[in-house]
Amino acid sequence: MAVTVSAAFDGGNIAVTRAERADDIVLTIPRDHMSEFAQWFYFRLSGVRGAACIIRLVGLEASAYPGGWPDYRAVVSYDRSDWCRADTAYDKAADGGTLTIRLTPEEDSVWIAYFAPYSMERHNDLVARIGSAPGVTSEVIGKTLDGQDMDLLTIGDGPVNLWFIARQHPGETMAEWWMEGALERLIDPADPVARALRAKATLRIVPNMNPDGSRRGHLRTNAVGVNLNREWATPSLERSPEVFSVLARMDRDKPDFVLDVHGDEAIPNNFIAGFEGIPSITPAMTDRLAAFIAILDRISPDFQTVDGYEIPAPGKANLTVATNALAERFGCLSMTLEMPFKDANVAPDAVYGWSPARSKALGRDCLAAALEVLPQLR
Amino acid sequence: MAVTVSAAFDGGNIAVTRAERADDIVLTIPRDHMSEFAQWFYFRLSGVRGAACIIRLVGLEASAYPGGWPDYRAVVSYDRSDWCRADTAYDKAADGGTLTIRLTPEEDSVWIAYFAPYSMERHNDLVARIGSAPGVTSEVIGKTLDGQDMDLLTIGDGPVNLWFIARQHPGETMAEWWMEGALERLIDPADPVARALRAKATLRIVPNMNPDGSRRGHLRTNAVGVNLNREWATPSLERSPEVFSVLARMDRDKPDFVLDVHGDEAIPNNFIAGFEGIPSITPAMTDRLAAFIAILDRISPDFQTVDGYEIPAPGKANLTVATNALAERFGCLSMTLEMPFKDANVAPDAVYGWSPARSKALGRDCLAAALEVLPQLR
Amino acid sequence: MAVTVSAAFDGGNIAVTRAERADDIVLTIPRDHMSEFAQWFYFRLSGVRGAACIIRLVGLEASAYPGGWPDYRAVVSYDRSDWCRADTAYDKAADGGTLTIRLTPEEDSVWIAYFAPYSMERHNDLVARIGSAPGVTSEVIGKTLDGQDMDLLTIGDGPVNLWFIARQHPGETMAEWWMEGALERLIDPADPVARALRAKATLRIVPNMNPDGSRRGHLRTNAVGVNLNREWATPSLERSPEVFSVLARMDRDKPDFVLDVHGDEAIPNNFIAGFEGIPSITPAMTDRLAAFIAILDRISPDFQTVDGYEIPAPGKANLTVATNALAERFGCLSMTLEMPFKDANVAPDAVYGWSPARSKALGRDCLAAALEVLPQLR
Amino acid sequence: MAVTVSAAFDGGNIAVTRAERADDIVLTIPRDHMSEFAQWFYFRLSGVRGAACIIRLVGLEASAYPGGWPDYRAVVSYDRSDWCRADTAYDKAADGGTLTIRLTPEEDSVWIAYFAPYSMERHNDLVARIGSAPGVTSEVIGKTLDGQDMDLLTIGDGPVNLWFIARQHPGETMAEWWMEGALERLIDPADPVARALRAKATLRIVPNMNPDGSRRGHLRTNAVGVNLNREWATPSLERSPEVFSVLARMDRDKPDFVLDVHGDEAIPNNFIAGFEGIPSITPAMTDRLAAFIAILDRISPDFQTVDGYEIPAPGKANLTVATNALAERFGCLSMTLEMPFKDANVAPDAVYGWSPARSKALGRDCLAAALEVLPQLR
Ligand SMILES: [Ca+2]
Ligand SMILES: [Ca+2]
Ligand SMILES: [Ca+2]
Ligand SMILES: [Ca+2]
């Protein structure tokens, strides 16, 4: 059976240098369309049952985050549902940076990705399912440049406005797994946290900020190579209709709370990044931020506060970034949640690393944290 | 909430003339790329909860099969899983042929299609799941022009070669639902028909002959507008690599039996079309064909033998069509199974019409018929 | 961890001679209450993870069917859902007939039985689920001596009266698995055989003729030691209210067809026993019997016609047995279906032997056979 | 169709005064065997589709907790899986205390109970399923007087000994639903709380302290009418082997923490009862109790601290009760969790009241609280 490689599917991304033999497969990661970013890969390898495969992704020192490769392990699946980590090593010096994945598949085909994929079909199924649950409103608030729908789900009817957005960077699929966990909890009729949240707050949720990048298999940008998380100062229908439509809606239903869900390529832990460097920061805002972080740290053993980004100096915040822009614009508690592509080193998992199931659990826990911080938001 | 229409997803196909008001939505069906065929539609309508929607698809006298529209009812779903029939009427005289769909959605969004869709993501899940079952071999035997994999699944190790192919015409999604039913039965370790088939025959199955047309939302053609079921005389890598790769493999593993699974736009029943007009037909071949049809007619109350295509006169078969080409080339029992887009009038279902569940049941029953005809095949 | 044995649960039956050590467990099978029959066993063995267990059931030459033990393999389960066959041997000469089961459990507890159990709780769940399906009527037509309900399910509204009864002998649990398969098919809204049956016939189904024996862990009798399948000539509320209530209802809704579902301890195959020895037999009745057997033989590769019971001479039928009594009383097609405790040797399964899944498949196939024989019934 | 009433099944309990007509059904609740307690009821009512049923349970001023009937609503189910509340009223003055349940069933049969039942078959399935999960040990640590197994599940290998026991009072079925929720969380390989607990503690869990009372349909006692929660001072193999075996094991694996899970008939809220009146109480013990209660109150919106039992005066604790006996014996944090039969008034649910799903959620939340209190336990 011939070895074949394919990425011609929803979210797929790979280029083949050579793949004649299972033990000598050489691949490169195509850049996001109209952009320099390259990091997300997702492909199917066939004709390899029982073969000791050696798969090399080369040229990775030119990828978006070379710091993401050391200690990283690729995810693999036979059934496209259960994604385990594979034996993976990074050699910075070989062929411009080489990630070598080794596995001997038990099946004819194996699917290999940077992180467990979340397809637009699954997104559409999620929106259809959650949107059909009692008490949920589903809206299309705009269109992407590829003509896809921008979905907003609204749950609850309390006075506090909570916003959750995810996957501005489409290759950060853990962000939409997080959403699936959060949304499933929110529609659970017996869950006490969900019931309390639905009574006390109105939750507005954008499960996928970047459908075009998702379907195209991008790491970081939309259909025209724009990094949406640098568009919140001046979004436009031409370059960033995704941000434009969401920000317009936020202007109408002003957030008291925003959580923007991301993945980080390098840091092997979950953490929150705040808005410390914005011009109009107040002590009350800082207190709320500290409160939420402390609550989440208490609730979730997978969360921590040691690893994270450097805190910007006063006034040095990048106001094109969602978290900063929204804190500045609305004076609200606005945060970026980062989950790892690698593993959460506070509680590492040898088989799965950081995973869809753990992302979903963190989504559920963040709702509990939101409920607890609620009294401090207004 | 604004009314929106979208078809920017796997298998989607629609063009909007106007959609400002729920009770005045006017749409057209885009033609298959590089082709004149137009019939398949699949779109999402949002912002319509509780609105008395009137959706008009116009210009349908210029569609591929105008005879498909009278007595046809569109399928609609809120959850993308349960697809019911909607109130639908056809007026040949209005606006060049108008199909009017009326519904008052209970949810914000509703998905509407020509038949219950079967996405390439679901196809990939199916191949991954069936391919990982014990005793199944999964192969990529070629690539489409869009770079997608041509999947072949092989089950069983008996001496008789049974081939099943489906969805040469990508809009005939019932053909892949049929495959899902047949494949699930074949891997059932306790099913006596499957166990006997796996012991006595080798089943080679192409669950989707036309991945490109499927993803593009075509009715009848591949990525370059080619009707694959007219390519079996002289398939080429340039125009019809899908047929080329399958025929090459058939030349190696010569079929004793081929079932090519389709849908028919106009005839409201299931039926078999044979190879009567081929030059080299023999009485033994004719007997086998009659035998299979009689067996299936006995097994499945959803099958019948009254409605169907006219039988070609001797020597008048179109040898570019799979069924005829393969009967001529291999002297085997080669058949086209047609399922309705409408309903099976021998046992009509007011709620669902012909459906995925019924297509799957027919897939299971065709396996039982194949087992019964097996002794006559060699 | 101490070794323990328990049978104090729904359907459990065992007595412990000694069980101090995992490799020397000696057990006997208690007789049915107020009866000489002993054959059904069902117990839980705990404290045995990783131990090479040797379990001896002794005195079995005095069991109901000593011929059932040679070539028989016990079923074992860790999760009470998946029941595999275990290494089992019979030595007629040792300790009055010894069945030795050997296994090294992977878990702390293992459940061991004569055949995969079907508890009264599962029965009640089945009746509740099927009884709640559209178009099904659920009735309590009587009480057992232990006060349990005699359940009758009625499906369909056609003119032909089909009766299916199962598990007169409560240890023949495959008979209720058969029922589960048949009932699930009957309520499937998309199944063409079920749809046709529901339109053409009225199906009356007693999924469990002997609830008391089932819950008590009996092989063959009810709460007072009565073999119900010897009560059909003169059933009484005192000894056999189960038969009394069903026969009374049959007198009202006269059967055109009865299938009484059983298991056979000795014969390793599925077969039908008819009513050949009844006084009033007619050629038409004999023809119907032959027709059904031939149809089922064609439909199910797990069925066969070589192995079976000896056919009684004319006039020699035991008229206390359901099949004979009902054929004589109603002149209808009346049959006993026997499934094996061992395996179906026409298609043996090394891992599972005859199993719940295969019993369910045969239940589905018997419905297809019933549909096909229907035109001959009146 | 005749109206019938049955309770001859696992956990069933009712006696019929009259039931000829659906609108005049009069029932009484039998006392626990060899005991005066009567409160648990569970029966099936058949032959009532579409009938306006009026069901009266009379003589309830002589029941165990007459205070449980005002504001109580019975649970009903068609499928034995989804249990809703029914229209229910209590009249203290009528017929010695009458609970009147009114419903018009949509199906032929309806199952009616004091709370959603949890059968011993479900218990056995739970133990088999959880016991087969990786890292779980399942032990039979004793036998009941009816010969049933006393099951202990052990999960985790950390130094802190956490014990959870439930359903000393068998009619308090919410306690075993609570266990199902807790156990499912504990074996979830991706749940961060479960992973942390399994690493830091050893959890010993008795999901059902009273199998005999459970199967017999008792409210409060075991097979010989003994209230197990008055046996912890001097349990005996003759009267209370259930307590005897668990206490013996606790003496070996000394608890740092015990949670004894119950239901309360009268108080419409969840609450914790502690050990305040024991002789050897220390401030550290009191602090731990207050800490756990505060943590659980923060975590679960379904928990509260206003309603509850009166706190005993110093030295006045009943030392035969598990919570007091174990706090006294081991100096550990020992608590009784009470859930309502009615509803949790802090967050009432009109359709379900307090329910299996909510009990399971509270089980999950109590694990999170146990993890948080862990550092204070030693
Ligand atoms: Ca990011
Ligand atoms: Ca076609
Ligand atoms: Ca029998
Ligand atoms: Ca209690």
Side-chain angles (χ1 to χ4, degrees):
Chain A
M1 215 183 285
V3 174
T4 67
V5 176
S6 171
F9 42 76
D10 190 322
N13 196 44
I14 208 66
V16 179
T17 302
R18 62 174 181 271
E20 284 74 39
R21 291 172 33 185
D23 62 355
D24 182 32
I25 296 169
V26 179
L27 309 170
T28 59
I29 303 178
R31 288 189 292 238
D32 292 3
H33 182 62
M34 300 176 63
S35 152
E36 292 301 307
F37 295 110
Q39 191 103 358
W40 171 260
F41 61 89
Y42 176 23
F43 58 94
R44 176 191 185 190
L45 182 60
S46 296
V48 290
R49 190 194 295 240
C53 298
I54 303 176
I55 305 152
R56 291 190 181 85
L57 280 69
V58 300
L60 297 187
E61 284 300 300
S63 69
Y65 300 96
W69 305 118
D71 301 322
Y72 164 79
R73 291 180 294 155
V75 301
V76 301
S77 178
Y78 299 125
D79 63 2
R80 295 169 34 103
S81 168
D82 187 58
W83 293 88
C84 294
R85 298 283 170 165
D87 176 12
T88 308
Y90 187 64
D91 181 347
K92 186 181 169 143
D95 287 321
T98 297
L99 190 79
T100 303
I101 305 165
R102 291 165 200 269
L103 75 161
T104 303
E106 299 164 17
E107 304 292 346
D108 298 308
S109 277
V110 61
W111 302 74
I112 303 177
Y114 189 31
F115 196 82
Y118 202 104
S119 73
M120 284 308 296
E121 278 297 292
R122 188 174 185 113
H123 166 85
N124 287 331
D125 286 343
L126 177 71
V127 169
R129 174 164 59 102
I130 303 295
S132 300
V136 180
T137 301
S138 168
E139 280 172 87
V140 174
I141 59 168
K143 293 275 188 181
T144 67
L145 296 169
D146 284 342
Q148 296 189 79
D149 288 339
M150 285 300 298
D151 289 301
L152 172 69
L153 297 164
T154 304
I155 307 177
D157 48 15
V160 185
N161 285 325
L162 308 183
W163 280 82
F164 297 86
I165 67 175
R167 215 175 165 186
Q168 290 198 69
H169 298 145
E172 296 163 16
T173 53
M174 60 286 281
E176 196 157 7
W177 289 110
W178 185 102
M179 277 289 174
E180 191 171 294
L183 289 167
E184 287 174 350
R185 180 172 209 177
L186 277 172
I187 63 167
D188 182 344
D191 186 280
V193 166
R195 295 179 76 214
L197 272 176
R198 296 195 304 257
K200 295 178 176 173
T202 301
L203 300 99
R204 290 187 181 78
I205 297 167
V206 182
N208 187 335
M209 285 292 301
N210 198 336
D212 292 353
S214 299
R215 195 160 61 166
R216 286 166 174 265
H218 284 188
L219 173 74
R220 231 174 138 67
T221 67
N222 71 1
V224 294
V226 170
N227 177 349
L228 295 180
N229 205 22
R230 298 297 178 273
E231 293 288 310
W232 292 81
T234 51
S236 71
L237 286 173
E238 293 70 33
R239 285 173 48 85
S240 48
E242 301 91 345
V243 174
F244 187 94
S245 61
V246 172
L247 189 56
R249 186 56 181 268
M250 285 178 167
D251 279 337
R252 201 181 98 186
D253 301 307
K254 297 196 166 43
D256 299 299
F257 171 105
V258 181
L259 190 66
D260 179 21
V261 187
H262 283 253
D264 185 89
E265 291 77 5
I267 297 176
N269 262 322
N270 292 292
F271 59 96
I272 291 272
F275 47 81
E276 290 87 347
I278 66 167
S280 69
I281 197 165
T282 67
M285 290 172 76
T286 308
D287 288 352
R288 282 181 203 121
L289 175 60
F292 182 84
I293 291 173
I295 292 166
L296 184 56
D297 194 27
R298 184 179 5 82
I299 290 174
S300 172
D302 276 345
F303 186 76
Q304 56 83 57
T305 59
V306 176
D307 292 347
Y309 297 149
E310 218 173 315
I311 294 178
K316 299 295 185 192
N318 179 343
L319 291 174
T320 68
V321 169
T323 288
N324 295 324
L326 299 172
E328 183 67 20
R329 190 179 193 104
F330 300 110
C332 67
L333 173 53
S334 175
M335 298 168 289
T336 308
L337 172 68
E338 296 281 352
M339 289 176 281
F341 277 90
K342 296 172 176 174
D343 201 345
N345 282 1
V346 290
D349 182 323
V351 175
Y352 290 104
W354 191 248
S355 67
R358 298 175 75 189
S359 303
K360 292 178 71 167
L362 188 58
R364 292 191 295 268
D365 282 344
C366 285
L367 292 181
L371 176 63
E372 199 171 328
V373 88
L374 207 66
Q376 304 180 45
L377 292 184
R378 281 198 161 176
Chain B
M1 215 182 285
V3 174
T4 67
V5 176
S6 171
F9 41 75
D10 190 322
N13 195 45
I14 207 67
V16 178
T17 300
R18 64 175 179 270
E20 285 73 39
R21 292 171 34 185
D23 63 355
D24 182 32
I25 295 170
V26 180
L27 309 170
T28 59
I29 303 178
R31 290 190 290 236
D32 292 2
H33 182 62
M34 300 175 64
S35 150
E36 292 301 308
F37 294 111
Q39 190 104 357
W40 171 258
F41 60 89
Y42 175 24
F43 58 94
R44 176 192 185 188
L45 182 60
S46 295
V48 289
R49 190 194 296 241
C53 297
I54 302 176
I55 304 152
R56 290 190 182 85
L57 280 71
V58 300
L60 297 186
E61 285 298 301
S63 69
Y65 300 95
W69 304 117
D71 300 321
Y72 164 80
R73 292 181 294 155
V75 300
V76 302
S77 179
Y78 299 124
D79 64 3
R80 294 169 35 102
S81 169
D82 187 57
W83 294 88
C84 294
R85 299 282 170 165
D87 176 12
T88 308
Y90 187 64
D91 181 346
K92 186 180 170 144
D95 286 321
T98 297
L99 190 80
T100 303
I101 304 166
R102 291 164 199 269
L103 75 161
T104 304
E106 299 164 16
E107 304 291 345
D108 298 308
S109 277
V110 61
W111 303 73
I112 302 177
Y114 189 30
F115 196 82
Y118 202 104
S119 74
M120 284 309 296
E121 279 297 292
R122 188 175 187 112
H123 167 84
N124 287 330
D125 287 342
L126 177 71
V127 169
R129 174 163 58 101
I130 302 295
S132 300
V136 180
T137 301
S138 169
E139 280 172 87
V140 174
I141 58 168
K143 294 275 188 181
T144 67
L145 295 169
D146 284 343
Q148 297 190 79
D149 288 339
M150 286 299 298
D151 289 301
L152 171 68
L153 297 164
T154 304
I155 306 177
D157 48 16
V160 184
N161 285 325
L162 307 182
W163 281 82
F164 297 86
I165 67 175
R167 212 175 167 187
Q168 289 197 69
H169 298 144
E172 296 164 14
T173 53
M174 60 287 281
E176 196 157 7
W177 289 110
W178 185 101
M179 277 289 175
E180 191 171 293
L183 288 166
E184 288 174 349
R185 179 172 209 177
L186 277 172
I187 64 168
D188 181 344
D191 186 280
V193 166
R195 295 178 76 214
L197 271 176
R198 295 194 304 258
K200 295 179 177 174
T202 300
L203 299 98
R204 291 188 179 77
I205 297 168
V206 182
N208 187 335
M209 285 291 303
N210 198 337
D212 292 354
S214 298
R215 195 161 62 167
R216 287 166 174 264
H218 283 187
L219 173 73
R220 229 172 139 68
T221 67
N222 71 0
V224 293
V226 170
N227 177 349
L228 297 180
N229 206 21
R230 298 297 178 273
E231 292 289 309
W232 291 81
T234 52
S236 71
L237 286 175
E238 293 69 33
R239 286 172 48 86
S240 47
E242 301 90 345
V243 173
F244 187 95
S245 61
V246 172
L247 189 56
R249 187 55 181 269
M250 285 177 167
D251 280 336
R252 201 181 97 188
D253 300 308
K254 297 197 167 41
D256 298 300
F257 171 106
V258 181
L259 190 67
D260 179 23
V261 186
H262 282 254
D264 185 89
E265 291 77 6
I267 298 176
N269 262 321
N270 292 291
F271 59 96
I272 291 272
F275 47 81
E276 290 87 347
I278 65 167
S280 69
I281 197 164
T282 66
M285 290 172 75
T286 308
D287 288 352
R288 282 182 204 120
L289 175 60
F292 183 83
I293 291 173
I295 292 168
L296 183 56
D297 194 27
R298 183 179 5 84
I299 290 175
S300 172
D302 275 346
F303 187 76
Q304 56 83 58
T305 58
V306 175
D307 291 347
Y309 296 148
E310 217 174 315
I311 293 178
K316 297 296 185 189
N318 179 343
L319 292 175
T320 68
V321 169
T323 287
N324 295 324
L326 298 172
E328 182 69 20
R329 191 180 192 103
F330 300 110
C332 67
L333 173 54
S334 175
M335 298 169 290
T336 307
L337 173 67
E338 296 281 350
M339 289 176 282
F341 276 89
K342 297 172 177 175
D343 200 345
N345 282 2
V346 289
D349 181 323
V351 176
Y352 290 105
W354 191 248
S355 67
R358 298 175 76 188
S359 302
K360 291 179 71 168
L362 188 58
R364 292 192 294 269
D365 281 344
C366 285
L367 293 181
L371 176 62
E372 199 171 328
V373 87
L374 207 66
Q376 304 181 45
L377 293 183
R378 280 197 162 178
Chain C
M1 214 183 287
V3 174
T4 67
V5 176
S6 171
F9 41 76
D10 190 323
N13 196 44
I14 208 68
V16 178
T17 300
R18 63 174 180 269
E20 285 73 40
R21 292 171 33 185
D23 62 355
D24 182 31
I25 295 170
V26 179
L27 309 170
T28 58
I29 303 178
R31 290 189 289 238
D32 292 3
H33 183 61
M34 298 176 65
S35 150
E36 292 301 308
F37 294 111
Q39 191 104 358
W40 171 259
F41 60 90
Y42 175 24
F43 58 94
R44 177 192 184 188
L45 183 59
S46 295
V48 290
R49 190 193 295 241
C53 298
I54 302 177
I55 304 152
R56 290 189 182 87
L57 279 70
V58 300
L60 296 187
E61 285 297 302
S63 69
Y65 301 94
W69 304 117
D71 301 321
Y72 165 79
R73 291 180 295 154
V75 301
V76 300
S77 179
Y78 299 124
D79 63 2
R80 296 169 34 102
S81 168
D82 187 57
W83 293 88
C84 294
R85 298 283 170 164
D87 175 12
T88 307
Y90 186 64
D91 180 347
K92 185 182 170 144
D95 286 321
T98 297
L99 190 79
T100 303
I101 305 166
R102 291 163 200 270
L103 75 162
T104 303
E106 299 164 18
E107 304 291 345
D108 297 309
S109 277
V110 61
W111 303 73
I112 302 178
Y114 188 31
F115 196 82
Y118 201 104
S119 74
M120 284 308 297
E121 278 298 290
R122 188 175 186 112
H123 167 84
N124 287 330
D125 287 343
L126 176 71
V127 169
R129 174 164 58 102
I130 302 295
S132 301
V136 180
T137 300
S138 168
E139 279 172 88
V140 174
I141 58 167
K143 294 274 187 181
T144 67
L145 295 169
D146 285 343
Q148 296 190 78
D149 287 340
M150 286 300 298
D151 289 301
L152 171 69
L153 297 164
T154 304
I155 307 176
D157 49 15
V160 184
N161 285 325
L162 307 182
W163 281 82
F164 297 86
I165 67 175
R167 214 176 167 186
Q168 288 199 70
H169 298 145
E172 297 164 13
T173 54
M174 61 286 281
E176 196 157 5
W177 289 110
W178 184 102
M179 277 289 175
E180 191 170 293
L183 288 167
E184 288 174 348
R185 180 172 209 178
L186 277 172
I187 63 167
D188 181 344
D191 187 280
V193 166
R195 296 179 76 215
L197 271 176
R198 296 193 305 258
K200 295 178 178 174
T202 299
L203 299 98
R204 290 187 180 79
I205 297 168
V206 183
N208 187 334
M209 285 291 302
N210 198 337
D212 293 353
S214 298
R215 195 161 61 167
R216 287 166 173 264
H218 284 188
L219 173 73
R220 229 172 139 68
T221 67
N222 72 359
V224 293
V226 170
N227 177 348
L228 297 180
N229 205 22
R230 298 296 178 275
E231 293 287 309
W232 292 80
T234 51
S236 72
L237 286 173
E238 293 70 33
R239 286 172 48 86
S240 46
E242 301 90 345
V243 173
F244 187 94
S245 61
V246 171
L247 188 57
R249 187 56 181 269
M250 285 178 168
D251 280 337
R252 202 182 96 188
D253 300 307
K254 296 197 168 42
D256 298 299
F257 170 106
V258 181
L259 191 66
D260 179 21
V261 186
H262 282 253
D264 185 89
E265 291 77 6
I267 297 175
N269 263 321
N270 293 290
F271 59 96
I272 291 272
F275 47 81
E276 290 88 345
I278 66 167
S280 68
I281 196 164
T282 66
M285 291 172 75
T286 307
D287 287 353
R288 283 182 203 120
L289 174 61
F292 183 83
I293 290 173
I295 291 167
L296 183 57
D297 193 27
R298 183 180 4 84
I299 289 175
S300 172
D302 276 345
F303 186 76
Q304 55 83 58
T305 58
V306 175
D307 291 347
Y309 296 148
E310 216 173 317
I311 294 179
K316 299 296 184 187
N318 180 344
L319 291 175
T320 68
V321 168
T323 287
N324 295 325
L326 299 172
E328 182 68 18
R329 191 179 192 104
F330 299 110
C332 67
L333 173 53
S334 174
M335 297 169 289
T336 307
L337 173 68
E338 297 282 351
M339 289 176 282
F341 277 89
K342 297 172 176 175
D343 200 345
N345 281 2
V346 290
D349 181 322
V351 176
Y352 290 104
W354 190 248
S355 67
R358 298 175 75 189
S359 302
K360 292 178 71 168
L362 187 58
R364 295 192 293 270
D365 282 344
C366 285
L367 293 180
L371 176 62
E372 200 171 327
V373 87
L374 208 65
Q376 305 180 44
L377 292 183
R378 282 196 161 180
Chain D
M1 217 182 285
V3 174
T4 67
V5 176
S6 170
F9 41 76
D10 191 322
N13 197 44
I14 208 67
V16 179
T17 301
R18 63 173 179 271
E20 284 73 41
R21 292 171 33 184
D23 62 355
D24 182 31
I25 295 169
V26 179
L27 309 170
T28 59
I29 303 179
R31 289 189 290 238
D32 293 2
H33 183 62
M34 300 176 63
S35 151
E36 293 300 308
F37 294 111
Q39 191 102 359
W40 171 260
F41 60 89
Y42 175 23
F43 58 94
R44 176 191 185 189
L45 183 59
S46 296
V48 290
R49 190 194 295 240
C53 297
I54 303 176
I55 304 153
R56 291 189 181 87
L57 280 69
V58 300
L60 297 186
E61 284 299 299
S63 69
Y65 301 95
W69 304 118
D71 301 321
Y72 164 79
R73 292 181 293 154
V75 300
V76 301
S77 178
Y78 299 125
D79 63 3
R80 296 169 33 104
S81 168
D82 187 59
W83 294 88
C84 294
R85 298 283 171 166
D87 175 12
T88 308
Y90 186 65
D91 181 346
K92 186 182 169 141
D95 286 320
T98 297
L99 190 78
T100 303
I101 305 166
R102 290 165 200 269
L103 74 160
T104 303
E106 299 164 17
E107 304 291 345
D108 298 308
S109 276
V110 60
W111 303 74
I112 303 178
Y114 189 31
F115 196 82
Y118 201 104
S119 73
M120 284 307 298
E121 279 297 291
R122 190 176 185 111
H123 167 84
N124 288 330
D125 287 343
L126 177 70
V127 169
R129 175 164 59 102
I130 302 296
S132 301
V136 180
T137 300
S138 168
E139 279 173 89
V140 174
I141 59 168
K143 294 276 186 179
T144 67
L145 295 168
D146 284 343
Q148 295 191 78
D149 288 340
M150 285 300 299
D151 289 300
L152 171 69
L153 296 164
T154 304
I155 307 177
D157 48 15
V160 184
N161 286 325
L162 308 182
W163 280 82
F164 297 87
I165 67 175
R167 216 177 166 186
Q168 289 198 70
H169 298 145
E172 296 163 16
T173 53
M174 61 286 281
E176 195 156 8
W177 289 110
W178 184 102
M179 277 288 173
E180 191 171 294
L183 289 166
E184 288 174 350
R185 180 173 208 176
L186 277 172
I187 63 167
D188 181 343
D191 186 280
V193 166
R195 294 179 76 215
L197 271 177
R198 295 194 304 256
K200 295 178 178 175
T202 300
L203 300 99
R204 289 186 183 79
I205 297 167
V206 183
N208 187 335
M209 284 292 301
N210 198 337
D212 293 353
S214 299
R215 195 161 60 166
R216 285 166 174 266
H218 284 188
L219 173 73
R220 229 173 140 68
T221 67
N222 71 1
V224 294
V226 170
N227 177 349
L228 296 180
N229 205 22
R230 297 299 179 272
E231 292 288 310
W232 291 81
T234 51
S236 71
L237 286 173
E238 293 71 33
R239 284 172 51 83
S240 48
E242 302 89 346
V243 174
F244 188 93
S245 61
V246 172
L247 189 56
R249 187 55 181 269
M250 285 179 167
D251 280 336
R252 202 181 96 187
D253 300 307
K254 296 198 167 41
D256 298 299
F257 171 106
V258 181
L259 190 66
D260 179 22
V261 186
H262 283 252
D264 185 89
E265 290 77 6
I267 298 175
N269 262 321
N270 293 291
F271 59 97
I272 291 272
F275 47 81
E276 290 88 346
I278 65 167
S280 68
I281 196 164
T282 67
M285 290 171 75
T286 308
D287 288 354
R288 282 182 204 121
L289 175 61
F292 182 84
I293 290 172
I295 291 167
L296 183 57
D297 194 27
R298 182 177 8 81
I299 289 174
S300 172
D302 275 346
F303 187 76
Q304 56 83 57
T305 59
V306 176
D307 291 346
Y309 296 148
E310 217 173 315
I311 294 178
K316 298 296 186 189
N318 180 344
L319 292 174
T320 67
V321 168
T323 287
N324 295 324
L326 299 172
E328 183 68 19
R329 189 178 193 107
F330 300 110
C332 68
L333 173 53
S334 175
M335 298 169 289
T336 307
L337 173 68
E338 296 282 351
M339 289 176 280
F341 276 88
K342 296 171 175 174
D343 200 345
N345 282 0
V346 289
D349 181 324
V351 176
Y352 290 104
W354 191 248
S355 67
R358 298 175 75 189
S359 303
K360 291 178 71 167
L362 188 58
R364 293 191 295 268
D365 282 344
C366 285
L367 292 181
L371 176 62
E372 198 171 328
V373 88
L374 207 67
Q376 304 181 44
L377 292 183
R378 281 199 161 177

